[in-house]
Amino acid sequence: MTTYEPRDVRPGIAALAERLRAALGRDSVIDDHQRLRTYECDGLAHYKVTPALAVLARDTAAVVETVRACAEGGVPFVARGSGTGLSGGALPRADGVLIVTSRMRHIVEIDRENQRAVVEPGVINLDVSRAAKPEGYYYAPDPSSQQVCSIGGNVAENSGGAHCLKYGFTTNHVTGITFVTADGEAVRLGGKAPDPTGYDLLGAIVGSEGTLGIATEVTVRLTRLPEAVRTLLAAFPSTDDAGAAVSEIIGAGVVPAAIEMMDALAIEAAEAAVHCDYPRGAGAVLIVELDGPADEVERQFEEVERHCRTHRAFEIRIAEDDVERALFWKGRKSAFAAVGRISPDYIVQDGVIPRTALPEVLHRMTELSRSSGVRVANVFHAGDGNLHPLVLFDDAVPGEAERAEEVSGAILDLCIEYGGSITGEHGVGSDKAKFMPRMFTEADLDTMQLVRCAFDPAGLANPGKVFPTPRLCGEVPGRHKGAHPLQEAGIAEVF
């Protein structure tokens, strides 16, 4: 675990705190060290930093006031929603302000006629679907943490989920944003229209991990509830067999709403945690869900079942109702937390490979695990090749954490080798910045940072995230000699 404590908290923080208390109310500003420790990490507890100040914003005006005060004082700021992120994207700054949006939880509007919902960033993902259901709609992107993760965090990370195979990621469902820029100006981008004119600034902001500013209101696309939903759970002797079935299903032109795979170790963890009663002796299970018009679902379902049996599925269960369907999903949705039942510590990794490379990559991951002595449980969105390996270790045993980190990094190297990516939906954050040069050239990284500088010339919005080396916006892209100013100041680590 890496813990950063304040070295030299800015003298201006106390004055900033008083200014914000006067503007926002005393209960909205936290500067007590013990209370601040509540916010020292997100879902990735490997890195911890206690912020100098936390502001519990209630509306866009509060975010504007806070960001404007930070900009005037040259104080860095980081936005935080529910704190469920898994890449350290909401890791605070010891010399900065953490802007917490969890109080901004109003569903402003469910617009059935335009198939839109307007929500504040602290609204929980699943609550959007609950609010839209009486109107016959739901919100499609469904991260496994959808019962606790917030829409603002989903926007920051471009979150996915099991059903993104058919319906796409957050970026495909956001049509408008009220956005507070890094200098404290609230701007409106897009709206309810399906295709806003001009540059795709929404596309730049969704997935930018809070490095360009803060979303304070989000307009999302609602999807009509399907006429029929059929869910199948198939047990296979091995992940090879399950992977072959996935390739056949997609290759046949069937696009399920979701195809999820778990290997034997992940199944063991799920059984220990939630008693999901998956078939005994399975080397892998697939959960395949189809939705849409009833006739089409029935025809495709027969085809999916046939491909599973062709590839040695030894048991197939078909959910008879919503209760049984929820039980199928219970093991998969709880998999990350369930691993804690079989290992005291674990790393949740997130990478992407071409779907056709699944068998070979899984074989090589098995070899990595065997040669290193580090266990790896596999849970992933098999339909689109988004892997979530869970690297297991015991931090109390000397050397195990280091070996786990090595295996975790080697898995990302495999993803890059096979033409994939170091992240599919968890983001880069603090955790994966050092891997960015393995995937992108120096020119690529310079270009990306110039976009960041266009939005945030002072470099105050979530600094130190995503990129392996900081860039001051006055710098000329290219190679430089000597230590970077932020490295000399002890603020950033240069990899």
Side-chain angles (χ1 to χ4, degrees), residues 273-356:
V274 298
H275 311 293
C276 47
D277 193 30
Y278 288 167
R280 293 182 180 277
V285 295
L286 284 183
I287 300 173
V288 184
E289 188 158 281
L290 294 159
D291 65 15
D295 289 345
E296 178 182 304
V297 167
E298 190 60 36
R299 177 182 57 79
Q300 291 184 338
F301 199 82
E302 291 173 1
E303 194 165 0
V304 168
E305 189 174 358
R306 177 169 57 83
H307 287 306
C308 287
R309 293 194 186 280
T310 299
H311 291 283
R312 303 176 65 205
F314 63 83
E315 185 175 342
I316 292 179
R317 299 177 184 174
I318 299 170
E320 296 298 329
D321 51 33
D322 286 346
V323 173
E324 194 167 3
R325 175 174 169 247
L327 187 61
F328 285 1
W329 281 109
K330 189 175 182 181
R332 168 61 187 92
K333 292 280 188 178
S334 65
F336 289 178
V339 169
R341 295 297 186 100
I342 63 172
S343 177
D345 301 285
Y346 59 94
I347 298 169
V348 180
Q349 199 45 277
D350 167 46
V352 181
I353 58 170
R355 185 178 58 252
T356 53

Coordinates of all heavy atoms in Angstrom, one line a residue, residues 273-356:
A273 N -19.1 -16.8 -1.3 CA -19.6 -15.6 -0.8 C -21.2 -15.5 -0.9 O -21.8 -15.1 0.1 CB -19.1 -14.4 -1.7
V274 N -21.8 -16.0 -2.0 CA -23.2 -15.7 -2.2 C -24.0 -17.0 -2.5 O -25.2 -17.0 -2.7 CB -23.5 -14.7 -3.3 CG1 -22.9 -13.4 -3.0 CG2 -22.9 -15.2 -4.7
H275 N -23.3 -18.2 -2.5 CA -23.9 -19.5 -2.7 C -24.9 -19.5 -3.9 O -26.1 -19.7 -3.8 CB -24.8 -19.8 -1.4 CG -24.0 -19.7 -0.1 ND1 -22.9 -20.5 0.2 CD2 -24.1 -18.8 0.9 CE1 -22.4 -20.2 1.4 NE2 -23.1 -19.1 1.8
C276 N -24.2 -19.1 -5.0 CA -25.0 -19.0 -6.3 C -25.4 -20.3 -6.9 O -26.1 -20.4 -7.9 CB -24.3 -18.1 -7.3 SG -22.5 -18.6 -7.5
D277 N -24.8 -21.4 -6.4 CA -25.2 -22.8 -6.8 C -24.9 -23.0 -8.3 O -25.8 -23.6 -9.0 CB -26.6 -23.1 -6.5 CG -26.9 -24.6 -6.6 OD1 -26.0 -25.4 -6.4 OD2 -28.1 -24.9 -6.9
Y278 N -23.8 -22.6 -8.8 CA -23.4 -22.9 -10.2 C -23.1 -24.4 -10.3 O -22.8 -25.0 -9.3 CB -22.2 -22.1 -10.6 CG -22.5 -20.6 -10.8 CD1 -21.5 -19.7 -11.0 CD2 -23.8 -20.1 -10.9 CE1 -21.7 -18.3 -11.2 CE2 -24.1 -18.8 -11.1 CZ -23.0 -17.9 -11.3 OH -23.2 -16.5 -11.5
P279 N -23.1 -25.0 -11.5 CA -22.9 -26.4 -11.7 C -21.5 -26.8 -11.1 O -20.5 -26.2 -11.4 CB -22.9 -26.6 -13.2 CG -23.8 -25.5 -13.7 CD -23.5 -24.3 -12.8
R280 N -21.5 -27.9 -10.4 CA -20.3 -28.5 -9.8 C -19.4 -29.0 -10.9 O -19.8 -29.6 -11.9 CB -20.6 -29.6 -8.8 CG -21.4 -29.1 -7.6 CD -21.7 -30.3 -6.6 NE -22.4 -29.9 -5.5 CZ -21.8 -29.4 -4.4 NH1 -20.5 -29.2 -4.4 NH2 -22.5 -29.0 -3.3
G281 N -18.1 -28.8 -10.6 CA -17.0 -29.3 -11.5 C -16.8 -28.5 -12.8 O -16.0 -28.9 -13.6
A282 N -17.4 -27.3 -12.8 CA -17.3 -26.5 -14.0 C -15.9 -25.8 -14.1 O -15.4 -25.2 -13.1 CB -18.3 -25.4 -14.1
G283 N -15.2 -25.9 -15.2 CA -13.9 -25.2 -15.4 C -14.2 -23.8 -15.8 O -13.4 -22.9 -15.7
A284 N -15.4 -23.5 -16.3 CA -15.9 -22.2 -16.7 C -17.4 -22.2 -16.8 O -18.0 -23.2 -17.2 CB -15.2 -21.8 -18.0
V285 N -18.0 -21.1 -16.6 CA -19.4 -20.9 -16.9 C -19.6 -19.7 -17.8 O -18.8 -18.7 -17.7 CB -20.3 -20.8 -15.6 CG1 -20.2 -22.0 -14.8 CG2 -19.9 -19.5 -14.8
L286 N -20.6 -19.8 -18.6 CA -21.0 -18.6 -19.4 C -22.4 -18.2 -19.0 O -23.3 -19.1 -18.8 CB -21.1 -19.0 -20.9 CG -19.8 -19.1 -21.7 CD1 -20.2 -19.4 -23.2 CD2 -19.0 -17.8 -21.6
I287 N -22.6 -16.9 -18.8 CA -24.0 -16.4 -18.7 C -24.3 -15.6 -20.0 O -23.6 -14.7 -20.3 CB -24.1 -15.5 -17.5 CG1 -23.7 -16.2 -16.2 CG2 -25.5 -14.9 -17.4 CD1 -23.6 -15.3 -15.0
V288 N -25.3 -16.1 -20.7 CA -25.7 -15.5 -22.0 C -27.1 -14.9 -21.8 O -28.0 -15.7 -21.4 CB -25.6 -16.5 -23.1 CG1 -25.9 -15.8 -24.5 CG2 -24.2 -17.2 -23.2
E289 N -27.2 -13.7 -22.1 CA -28.6 -13.0 -22.0 C -28.9 -12.4 -23.4 O -28.1 -11.7 -24.0 CB -28.6 -12.0 -20.9 CG -30.0 -11.4 -20.6 CD -30.1 -10.8 -19.2 OE1 -30.2 -11.6 -18.3 OE2 -30.0 -9.6 -19.1
L290 N -30.1 -12.7 -23.8 CA -30.7 -12.2 -25.0 C -31.9 -11.4 -24.7 O -32.7 -11.7 -23.8 CB -31.1 -13.3 -26.0 CG -29.9 -14.2 -26.6 CD1 -30.4 -15.5 -27.0 CD2 -29.2 -13.4 -27.7
D291 N -32.1 -10.2 -25.4 CA -33.3 -9.5 -25.2 C -33.7 -8.9 -26.5 O -33.0 -8.8 -27.5 CB -33.1 -8.4 -24.1 CG -32.1 -7.3 -24.5 OD1 -31.7 -7.2 -25.6 OD2 -31.7 -6.6 -23.6
G292 N -35.0 -8.5 -26.6 CA -35.6 -7.9 -27.8 C -36.9 -8.4 -28.1 O -37.6 -8.9 -27.2
P293 N -37.4 -8.4 -29.4 CA -38.7 -8.9 -29.8 C -38.7 -10.4 -29.4 O -37.7 -11.2 -29.6 CB -38.8 -8.7 -31.3 CG -37.8 -7.6 -31.5 CD -36.7 -7.7 -30.5
A294 N -39.9 -10.9 -28.9 CA -40.0 -12.3 -28.4 C -39.6 -13.3 -29.5 O -38.9 -14.3 -29.2 CB -41.4 -12.5 -27.9
D295 N -40.1 -13.2 -30.7 CA -39.8 -14.2 -31.8 C -38.3 -14.2 -32.1 O -37.7 -15.3 -32.2 CB -40.5 -13.9 -33.0 CG -42.0 -14.1 -32.9 OD1 -42.4 -14.8 -31.9 OD2 -42.8 -13.6 -33.7
E296 N -37.7 -13.1 -32.1 CA -36.2 -13.0 -32.4 C -35.4 -13.6 -31.3 O -34.5 -14.4 -31.5 CB -35.8 -11.6 -32.7 CG -34.3 -11.4 -32.9 CD -34.0 -9.9 -33.1 OE1 -34.6 -9.3 -34.0 OE2 -33.1 -9.4 -32.4
V297 N -35.8 -13.3 -30.1 CA -35.1 -13.8 -28.9 C -35.2 -15.4 -28.9 O -34.2 -16.1 -28.6 CB -35.6 -13.2 -27.6 CG1 -35.1 -14.0 -26.4 CG2 -35.2 -11.8 -27.5
E298 N -36.3 -15.9 -29.2 CA -36.5 -17.3 -29.1 C -35.7 -18.0 -30.2 O -35.0 -19.1 -29.9 CB -38.0 -17.7 -29.4 CG -38.3 -19.1 -29.1 CD -38.1 -19.6 -27.7 OE1 -38.3 -18.8 -26.8 OE2 -37.6 -20.7 -27.5
R299 N -35.6 -17.5 -31.4 CA -34.8 -18.1 -32.5 C -33.3 -18.0 -32.1 O -32.6 -19.0 -32.3 CB -35.1 -17.3 -33.8 CG -34.2 -17.8 -34.9 CD -34.5 -17.0 -36.2 NE -34.3 -15.6 -36.0 CZ -33.0 -15.1 -36.0 NH1 -32.0 -15.8 -36.2 NH2 -32.9 -13.8 -35.9
Q300 N -32.9 -16.9 -31.6 CA -31.4 -16.7 -31.3 C -31.1 -17.6 -30.1 O -30.0 -18.1 -30.0 CB -31.1 -15.2 -31.0 CG -31.2 -14.4 -32.3 CD -30.8 -12.9 -32.0 OE1 -30.8 -12.5 -30.9 NE2 -30.3 -12.2 -33.0
F301 N -32.0 -17.7 -29.2 CA -31.7 -18.5 -28.0 C -31.5 -20.0 -28.3 O -30.5 -20.6 -27.8 CB -32.9 -18.4 -27.0 CG -32.5 -18.8 -25.6 CD1 -31.9 -17.9 -24.7 CD2 -32.8 -20.1 -25.1 CE1 -31.6 -18.2 -23.5 CE2 -32.5 -20.4 -23.8 CZ -31.9 -19.5 -23.0
E302 N -32.2 -20.5 -29.3 CA -32.0 -21.9 -29.7 C -30.6 -22.0 -30.3 O -29.9 -23.0 -30.2 CB -33.1 -22.3 -30.7 CG -34.5 -22.4 -30.1 CD -35.5 -22.6 -31.1 OE1 -35.2 -22.6 -32.4 OE2 -36.7 -22.7 -30.8
E303 N -30.2 -21.0 -31.1 CA -28.9 -21.0 -31.7 C -27.8 -21.0 -30.7 O -26.8 -21.7 -30.7 CB -28.7 -19.9 -32.7 CG -27.6 -20.0 -33.6 CD -27.7 -19.0 -34.8 OE1 -28.7 -18.3 -34.9 OE2 -26.7 -19.0 -35.6
V304 N -27.9 -20.1 -29.7 CA -26.9 -20.0 -28.6 C -26.8 -21.4 -27.9 O -25.7 -21.9 -27.6 CB -27.3 -18.9 -27.6 CG1 -26.5 -19.0 -26.3 CG2 -27.1 -17.5 -28.2
E305 N -27.9 -22.0 -27.5 CA -27.9 -23.2 -26.8 C -27.2 -24.3 -27.7 O -26.4 -25.1 -27.1 CB -29.4 -23.7 -26.5 CG -29.5 -24.9 -25.6 CD -30.9 -25.2 -25.2 OE1 -31.8 -24.4 -25.6 OE2 -31.1 -26.2 -24.5
R306 N -27.5 -24.3 -29.0 CA -26.8 -25.3 -29.9 C -25.3 -25.1 -29.9 O -24.6 -26.1 -29.8 CB -27.4 -25.2 -31.3 CG -26.8 -26.1 -32.3 CD -27.6 -26.1 -33.6 NE -27.7 -24.8 -34.1 CZ -26.7 -24.2 -34.9 NH1 -25.6 -24.8 -35.1 NH2 -26.9 -23.0 -35.4
H307 N -24.8 -23.9 -30.0 CA -23.4 -23.6 -30.0 C -22.7 -24.0 -28.7 O -21.6 -24.5 -28.6 CB -23.1 -22.2 -30.3 CG -23.3 -21.8 -31.8 ND1 -22.8 -22.5 -32.8 CD2 -24.1 -20.8 -32.3 CE1 -23.2 -22.0 -33.9 NE2 -24.0 -21.0 -33.7
C308 N -23.4 -23.8 -27.6 CA -22.9 -24.2 -26.3 C -22.7 -25.7 -26.2 O -21.7 -26.2 -25.8 CB -23.8 -23.7 -25.1 SG -23.7 -21.9 -24.9
R309 N -23.7 -26.4 -26.6 CA -23.7 -27.9 -26.6 C -22.6 -28.4 -27.5 O -21.9 -29.4 -27.2 CB -25.0 -28.5 -26.9 CG -26.1 -28.2 -25.9 CD -27.3 -29.1 -26.0 NE -28.4 -28.7 -25.1 CZ -28.4 -29.0 -23.8 NH1 -27.4 -29.7 -23.3 NH2 -29.4 -28.6 -23.0
T310 N -22.5 -27.8 -28.7 CA -21.4 -28.2 -29.6 C -20.0 -28.1 -29.0 O -19.2 -28.9 -29.3 CB -21.5 -27.4 -30.9 OG1 -22.8 -27.6 -31.5 CG2 -20.4 -27.7 -31.9
H311 N -19.9 -27.2 -28.2 CA -18.5 -26.9 -27.5 C -18.5 -27.5 -26.1 O -17.9 -26.9 -25.2 CB -18.2 -25.5 -27.6 CG -17.9 -25.0 -29.0 ND1 -16.7 -25.3 -29.7 CD2 -18.7 -24.4 -30.0 CE1 -16.8 -24.8 -30.9 NE2 -17.9 -24.3 -31.1
R312 N -19.2 -28.6 -25.9 CA -19.0 -29.4 -24.7 C -19.6 -28.9 -23.4 O -19.2 -29.2 -22.3 CB -17.5 -29.7 -24.5 CG -16.8 -30.4 -25.7 CD -15.3 -30.6 -25.4 NE -15.1 -31.5 -24.3 CZ -14.0 -31.5 -23.5 NH1 -13.0 -30.6 -23.7 NH2 -13.8 -32.4 -22.6
A313 N -20.6 -28.0 -23.6 CA -21.3 -27.6 -22.3 C -22.0 -28.9 -21.7 O -22.7 -29.5 -22.4 CB -22.3 -26.6 -22.7
F314 N -21.6 -29.2 -20.5 CA -22.2 -30.4 -19.9 C -23.4 -30.1 -19.1 O -24.1 -31.1 -18.6 CB -21.1 -31.1 -19.1 CG -20.6 -30.4 -17.9 CD1 -21.3 -30.3 -16.7 CD2 -19.4 -29.7 -18.0 CE1 -20.8 -29.6 -15.6 CE2 -18.9 -29.0 -16.9 CZ -19.6 -28.9 -15.7
E315 N -23.7 -28.9 -18.8 CA -25.0 -28.6 -18.2 C -25.4 -27.2 -18.6 O -24.6 -26.2 -18.6 CB -24.9 -28.6 -16.7 CG -26.2 -28.4 -15.9 CD -26.1 -28.5 -14.4 OE1 -25.1 -29.2 -13.9 OE2 -27.0 -28.1 -13.7
I316 N -26.7 -27.1 -19.0 CA -27.3 -25.8 -19.4 C -28.5 -25.5 -18.6 O -29.4 -26.4 -18.5 CB -27.6 -25.7 -20.9 CG1 -26.3 -25.8 -21.7 CG2 -28.4 -24.5 -21.2 CD1 -26.5 -25.8 -23.2
R317 N -28.6 -24.4 -18.0 CA -29.8 -24.0 -17.2 C -30.4 -22.7 -17.8 O -29.7 -21.8 -18.3 CB -29.4 -23.6 -15.7 CG -28.8 -24.8 -15.0 CD -28.4 -24.4 -13.6 NE -27.7 -25.4 -12.9 CZ -27.1 -25.3 -11.7 NH1 -27.2 -24.1 -11.1 NH2 -26.5 -26.3 -11.1
I318 N -31.7 -22.7 -17.9 CA -32.4 -21.6 -18.5 C -33.3 -21.0 -17.4 O -34.1 -21.7 -16.7 CB -33.3 -22.1 -19.7 CG1 -32.4 -22.7 -20.7 CG2 -34.1 -20.9 -20.2 CD1 -33.1 -23.4 -21.8
A319 N -33.1 -19.7 -17.2 CA -33.9 -19.0 -16.1 C -35.3 -19.0 -16.5 O -35.7 -18.6 -17.6 CB -33.3 -17.6 -16.0
E320 N -36.2 -19.5 -15.6 CA -37.6 -19.6 -15.8 C -38.3 -18.3 -15.5 O -39.4 -18.0 -15.9 CB -38.2 -20.7 -15.0 CG -37.6 -22.1 -15.4 CD -38.0 -22.4 -16.8 OE1 -39.1 -22.0 -17.3 OE2 -37.2 -23.1 -17.5
D321 N -37.7 -17.4 -14.6 CA -38.3 -16.2 -14.2 C -37.3 -15.2 -13.8 O -36.1 -15.5 -13.8 CB -39.4 -16.4 -13.1 CG -38.8 -17.2 -11.9 OD1 -37.6 -17.0 -11.6 OD2 -39.5 -18.0 -11.3
D322 N -37.7 -14.0 -13.4 CA -36.7 -13.0 -13.0 C -36.0 -13.3 -11.7 O -34.8 -12.9 -11.6 CB -37.5 -11.6 -12.7 CG -37.9 -11.0 -14.0 OD1 -37.4 -11.4 -15.1 OD2 -38.8 -10.1 -14.0
V323 N -36.6 -14.1 -10.9 CA -35.9 -14.5 -9.6 C -34.7 -15.4 -10.0 O -33.6 -15.2 -9.5 CB -36.9 -15.3 -8.7 CG1 -36.1 -15.8 -7.5 CG2 -38.0 -14.3 -8.2
E324 N -34.9 -16.4 -10.9 CA -33.8 -17.3 -11.3 C -32.8 -16.6 -12.1 O -31.6 -16.8 -11.9 CB -34.4 -18.5 -12.0 CG -33.4 -19.6 -12.2 CD -34.0 -20.9 -12.7 OE1 -35.2 -20.9 -13.0 OE2 -33.3 -21.9 -12.8
R325 N -33.3 -15.6 -12.9 CA -32.3 -14.8 -13.7 C -31.4 -14.0 -12.8 O -30.2 -13.9 -13.0 CB -33.1 -13.9 -14.6 CG -32.3 -12.9 -15.4 CD -33.2 -12.1 -16.4 NE -32.4 -11.0 -16.9 CZ -32.7 -9.7 -16.7 NH1 -33.7 -9.4 -15.9 NH2 -32.0 -8.8 -17.2
A326 N -32.0 -13.4 -11.7 CA -31.2 -12.7 -10.8 C -30.2 -13.6 -10.0 O -29.1 -13.1 -9.7 CB -32.1 -12.0 -9.7
L327 N -30.5 -14.8 -9.8 CA -29.6 -15.7 -9.1 C -28.4 -16.0 -10.0 O -27.3 -16.1 -9.6 CB -30.4 -17.0 -8.8 CG -29.5 -18.0 -7.9 CD1 -29.1 -17.4 -6.6 CD2 -30.4 -19.3 -7.7
F328 N -28.7 -16.2 -11.3 CA -27.6 -16.4 -12.3 C -26.6 -15.3 -12.2 O -25.4 -15.5 -12.2 CB -28.1 -16.5 -13.7 CG -28.8 -17.8 -14.1 CD1 -29.0 -18.8 -13.1 CD2 -29.3 -18.0 -15.3 CE1 -29.6 -20.0 -13.5 CE2 -30.0 -19.2 -15.7 CZ -30.1 -20.2 -14.7
W329 N -27.2 -14.1 -12.2 CA -26.3 -12.9 -12.2 C -25.7 -12.6 -10.9 O -24.7 -11.9 -10.8 CB -27.1 -11.6 -12.7 CG -27.3 -11.6 -14.1 CD1 -28.5 -11.8 -14.8 CD2 -26.3 -11.3 -15.1 NE1 -28.2 -11.7 -16.2 CE2 -26.9 -11.4 -16.4 CE3 -25.0 -11.0 -15.0 CZ2 -26.2 -11.1 -17.6 CZ3 -24.3 -10.8 -16.2 CH2 -24.9 -10.8 -17.5
K330 N -26.2 -13.1 -9.8 CA -25.7 -12.8 -8.5 C -24.3 -13.2 -8.3 O -23.5 -12.4 -7.8 CB -26.6 -13.5 -7.4 CG -26.3 -13.1 -6.0 CD -27.2 -13.8 -5.0 CE -27.0 -13.3 -3.6 NZ -27.9 -14.0 -2.6
G331 N -23.9 -14.4 -8.8 CA -22.5 -14.8 -8.7 C -21.6 -13.9 -9.5 O -20.5 -13.5 -9.0
R332 N -22.0 -13.6 -10.7 CA -21.2 -12.7 -11.5 C -21.0 -11.3 -11.0 O -19.9 -10.7 -10.9 CB -21.8 -12.7 -13.0 CG -21.1 -11.6 -13.9 CD -19.7 -11.8 -14.1 NE -19.1 -10.7 -14.8 CZ -18.5 -9.7 -14.3 NH1 -18.5 -9.5 -12.9 NH2 -18.0 -8.7 -15.0
K333 N -22.1 -10.7 -10.6 CA -22.1 -9.3 -10.1 C -21.3 -9.2 -8.8 O -20.8 -8.1 -8.5 CB -23.5 -8.8 -9.9 CG -24.3 -8.6 -11.2 CD -24.0 -7.4 -11.9 CE -24.9 -7.1 -13.0 NZ -24.6 -5.8 -13.7
S334 N -21.2 -10.3 -8.0 CA -20.5 -10.2 -6.7 C -19.1 -10.7 -6.8 O -18.4 -10.8 -5.8 CB -21.3 -11.0 -5.7 OG -21.2 -12.4 -6.0
A335 N -18.6 -11.0 -8.0 CA -17.3 -11.7 -8.2 C -16.1 -11.0 -7.6 O -15.3 -11.6 -6.9 CB -17.1 -12.0 -9.6
F336 N -16.1 -9.7 -7.8 CA -14.9 -8.9 -7.3 C -14.8 -9.0 -5.8 O -13.8 -9.3 -5.2 CB -15.0 -7.4 -7.8 CG -14.7 -7.2 -9.2 CD1 -14.8 -6.0 -9.8 CD2 -14.5 -8.3 -10.1 CE1 -14.6 -5.7 -11.1 CE2 -14.3 -8.1 -11.4 CZ -14.4 -6.8 -12.0
A337 N -15.9 -8.6 -5.1 CA -15.9 -8.7 -3.7 C -15.8 -10.1 -3.2 O -15.2 -10.3 -2.1 CB -17.2 -8.0 -3.1
A338 N -16.3 -11.1 -3.9 CA -16.3 -12.4 -3.4 C -14.9 -13.0 -3.3 O -14.7 -13.9 -2.5 CB -17.1 -13.3 -4.4
V339 N -14.0 -12.5 -4.1 CA -12.6 -13.0 -4.1 C -12.0 -12.9 -2.7 O -11.1 -13.6 -2.3 CB -11.8 -12.3 -5.2 CG1 -10.3 -12.7 -5.0 CG2 -12.3 -12.8 -6.6
G340 N -12.5 -11.9 -1.9 CA -12.0 -11.7 -0.6 C -12.3 -12.9 0.3 O -11.6 -13.0 1.4
R341 N -13.2 -13.8 -0.1 CA -13.4 -15.0 0.7 C -12.3 -16.1 0.5 O -12.2 -17.0 1.3 CB -14.8 -15.6 0.2 CG -16.0 -14.8 0.6 CD -16.1 -14.6 2.1 NE -17.4 -13.9 2.4 CZ -18.5 -14.5 2.8 NH1 -18.5 -15.8 2.9 NH2 -19.6 -13.8 3.1
I342 N -11.5 -16.0 -0.6 CA -10.5 -17.0 -0.8 C -9.1 -16.4 -0.8 O -8.1 -17.1 -1.0 CB -10.8 -17.7 -2.2 CG1 -10.7 -16.8 -3.4 CG2 -12.1 -18.5 -2.1 CD1 -10.7 -17.5 -4.7
S343 N -9.0 -15.1 -0.7 CA -7.7 -14.5 -0.6 C -7.7 -13.2 0.2 O -8.7 -12.4 0.1 CB -7.2 -14.1 -2.1 OG -6.0 -13.4 -2.0
P344 N -6.7 -13.0 1.1 CA -6.8 -11.8 1.9 C -6.6 -10.5 1.1 O -7.1 -9.4 1.5 CB -5.6 -12.0 2.9 CG -4.7 -13.0 2.3 CD -5.6 -13.9 1.4
D345 N -5.9 -10.6 0.0 CA -5.7 -9.4 -0.8 C -5.8 -9.8 -2.3 O -5.5 -10.9 -2.7 CB -4.3 -8.8 -0.5 CG -4.1 -8.4 0.9 OD1 -4.6 -7.4 1.3 OD2 -3.4 -9.2 1.6
Y346 N -6.1 -8.8 -3.1 CA -6.2 -9.1 -4.5 C -6.1 -7.8 -5.3 O -6.5 -6.7 -4.8 CB -7.4 -9.8 -4.9 CG -8.8 -9.2 -4.6 CD1 -9.4 -8.4 -5.5 CD2 -9.3 -9.3 -3.3 CE1 -10.6 -7.8 -5.2 CE2 -10.5 -8.7 -3.0 CZ -11.2 -8.0 -3.9 OH -12.4 -7.4 -3.6
I347 N -5.7 -7.9 -6.6 CA -5.6 -6.7 -7.5 C -6.7 -7.0 -8.6 O -6.7 -8.0 -9.2 CB -4.2 -6.6 -8.2 CG1 -3.1 -6.3 -7.1 CG2 -4.2 -5.5 -9.2 CD1 -1.7 -6.5 -7.7
V348 N -7.6 -6.0 -8.8 CA -8.6 -6.1 -9.8 C -8.0 -5.5 -11.1 O -7.8 -4.3 -11.1 CB -9.9 -5.4 -9.5 CG1 -10.9 -5.5 -10.6 CG2 -10.4 -6.0 -8.2
Q349 N -7.7 -6.3 -12.1 CA -7.1 -5.7 -13.3 C -8.2 -5.5 -14.4 O -9.3 -6.1 -14.2 CB -5.9 -6.6 -13.8 CG -5.0 -6.0 -14.7 CD -4.5 -4.6 -14.3 OE1 -5.2 -3.6 -14.6 NE2 -3.4 -4.5 -13.7
D350 N -7.8 -4.8 -15.4 CA -8.8 -4.5 -16.4 C -8.1 -4.2 -17.7 O -7.3 -3.3 -17.9 CB -9.6 -3.2 -16.0 CG -10.4 -2.6 -17.1 OD1 -11.1 -3.3 -17.8 OD2 -10.3 -1.3 -17.3
G351 N -8.3 -5.1 -18.7 CA -7.6 -5.0 -20.0 C -8.5 -5.5 -21.1 O -9.5 -6.2 -20.8
V352 N -8.2 -5.2 -22.3 CA -9.0 -5.7 -23.4 C -8.1 -6.4 -24.5 O -7.0 -6.0 -24.7 CB -9.7 -4.4 -24.1 CG1 -10.5 -4.9 -25.3 CG2 -10.5 -3.7 -23.1
I353 N -8.7 -7.4 -25.0 CA -8.0 -8.1 -26.1 C -9.1 -8.4 -27.2 O -10.3 -8.4 -27.0 CB -7.4 -9.5 -25.7 CG1 -8.5 -10.4 -25.0 CG2 -6.3 -9.2 -24.7 CD1 -8.0 -11.8 -24.7
P354 N -8.6 -8.7 -28.5 CA -9.6 -9.2 -29.5 C -10.2 -10.5 -29.0 O -9.6 -11.3 -28.4 CB -8.7 -9.5 -30.7 CG -7.5 -8.6 -30.5 CD -7.3 -8.6 -29.0
R355 N -11.5 -10.6 -29.2 CA -12.3 -11.8 -28.7 C -11.7 -13.1 -29.2 O -11.6 -14.1 -28.4 CB -13.7 -11.6 -29.1 CG -14.6 -12.7 -28.6 CD -16.1 -12.5 -29.1 NE -16.2 -12.4 -30.5 CZ -16.4 -11.3 -31.2 NH1 -16.5 -10.2 -30.6 NH2 -16.5 -11.4 -32.5
T356 N -11.2 -13.1 -30.4 CA -10.6 -14.3 -31.0 C -9.3 -14.8 -30.3 O -8.9 -15.9 -30.4 CB -10.3 -14.1 -32.5 OG1 -9.5 -13.0 -32.7 CG2 -11.6 -14.0 -33.3

